[in-house]
Amino acid sequence: MTDAPRRTALDALHRGLGATMTDFAGWDMPLRYGSERDEHLAVRTRAGLFDLSHMGEITLTGPEAGALLDYSLVGNLSALAPGRARYTMICDDRGGILDDLIVYRLADEEFMVVANASNAQVVLDALTERAAGFEGAAVRDDREAYALLAVQGPESPGILKSLTDADLDGLKYYAGLPGTVAGVSALIARTGYTGEDGFELFVAPGDAEALWQALTEAGKDAGLVPCGLSCRDTLRLEAGMPLYGHELTTDTTPFDAGLGRVVKFEKTTNDGRFVGREALEAAAKRAEEAPPRKLVGLIAEGRRVPRAGYPVVAAGSGTVIGEVTSGAPSPTLGKPVAIAYVDAEYAAPGTEGVAVDIRGSHEPYEVVALPFYKRQR
């Protein structure tokens, strides 16, 4: 007997809006409310409102909280200034990625780690285990303490400004500040995952519905629409952002995924010691000297859509040279796109003779640099 999916504080609201629901990482989540293409384009041109309450929040406190994070994660988190956030990863001792994370430093001795829903328990268990020896740090599971709403799109600053007196203009990218939004206490963050400007609002679950309604009303004239997981995926795909379980797995290192920049071998604490260091040093050397495969973008010349797991082949010979990790129609480009790992010799943008095997048909694709889409700032 399987456990019933968990429901967010906004579950009844989603159903009242007629959302198509789906089981995602053990949560019942809105997939779409109407047309996923319309939701996607609303975020690109106006604004979209998302429920991200399935994400996993873990709080670390104490004088050694920063040192514990330096040891547990690949980044130098003790150097993070209060009020700022950082994208990072947690790896195993082989350098394989357990999850990609955003870490917020809320105060000198308080950090919040935000994990993907599918990996939240894994991350919590790893941090708890790695806390042995750090008596001045405590790890707390705060997944039940937060609901998470996100307003994304070019109209999002104006919508949020109408509901808060917090200094949004002074809130930098990858930062967060406490504030009140529509009378609700919130951590207001600005990290974004859609390729557009946007804000994430961490609030108490009991305040989530009132805040959703207030945002909906404030965004009515700006064209704000509710958005589900489906367009969230196509938005991040266009923005070239990796997704755990697709581009990132325990069989890939940050260097394999072209994200070696998040690994900081020079750390403020622990004499530079951290889990996976030795394996990651080897991976860094491999990536610099002779990477076997690289992560690239592919744009279709035809209309057939690639999916994760489809082989990438050399046109003509049919030799397998890689594998699609994510693929979907791109509403912005008007063509199917994919992210794939391909042999290094085929990874340069403009490389000819690359195709995707879609059910036995070798469909031609153009190799491009990621991201597919970047907003004009």
Side-chain angles (χ1 to χ4, degrees), residues 83-85 102-104 106 112 114 148-152 156 160 166 168 171-179 181 186-193 197-203:
R84 298 308 304 267
I102 294 178
V103 177
Y104 297 86
L106 304 180
M112 182 170 70
V114 181
L148 176 56
L149 280 63
V151 190
Q152 301 285 309
S156 58
L160 202 56
L168 298 186
L171 184 63
K172 298 177 181 178
Y173 187 52
Y174 266 76
L177 82 166
V181 182
L187 171 64
I188 306 169
R190 195 174 199 168
T191 61
Y193 51 88
D197 194 7
F199 301 87
E200 299 79 48
L201 307 171
F202 295 85
V203 300

Side-chain angles (χ1 to χ4, degrees), residues 58 60 68-75 77 87-103 113-116 119-131 244 248-250 252-254 262-263 267 274-276 280:
I58 302 162
L60 288 84
L68 172 55
L69 286 173
D70 283 352
Y71 174 72
S72 300
L73 311 182
V74 302
L77 282 308
Y87 176 77
T88 186
M89 296 180 186
I90 182 168
C91 292
D92 59 25
D93 56 9
R94 301 176 302 108
I97 302 168
L98 295 175
D99 200 14
D100 62 334
L101 313 162
I102 294 178
V103 177
V113 174
V114 181
N116 287 299
N119 295 326
Q121 189 64 49
V122 170
V123 175
L124 176 64
D125 291 345
L127 289 173
T128 302
E129 180 182 337
R130 295 174 189 186
Y244 196 87
L248 311 177
T249 70
T250 52
T252 57
T253 73
V262 307
V263 180
K267 301 223 182 190
F274 64 95
V275 176
L280 289 169

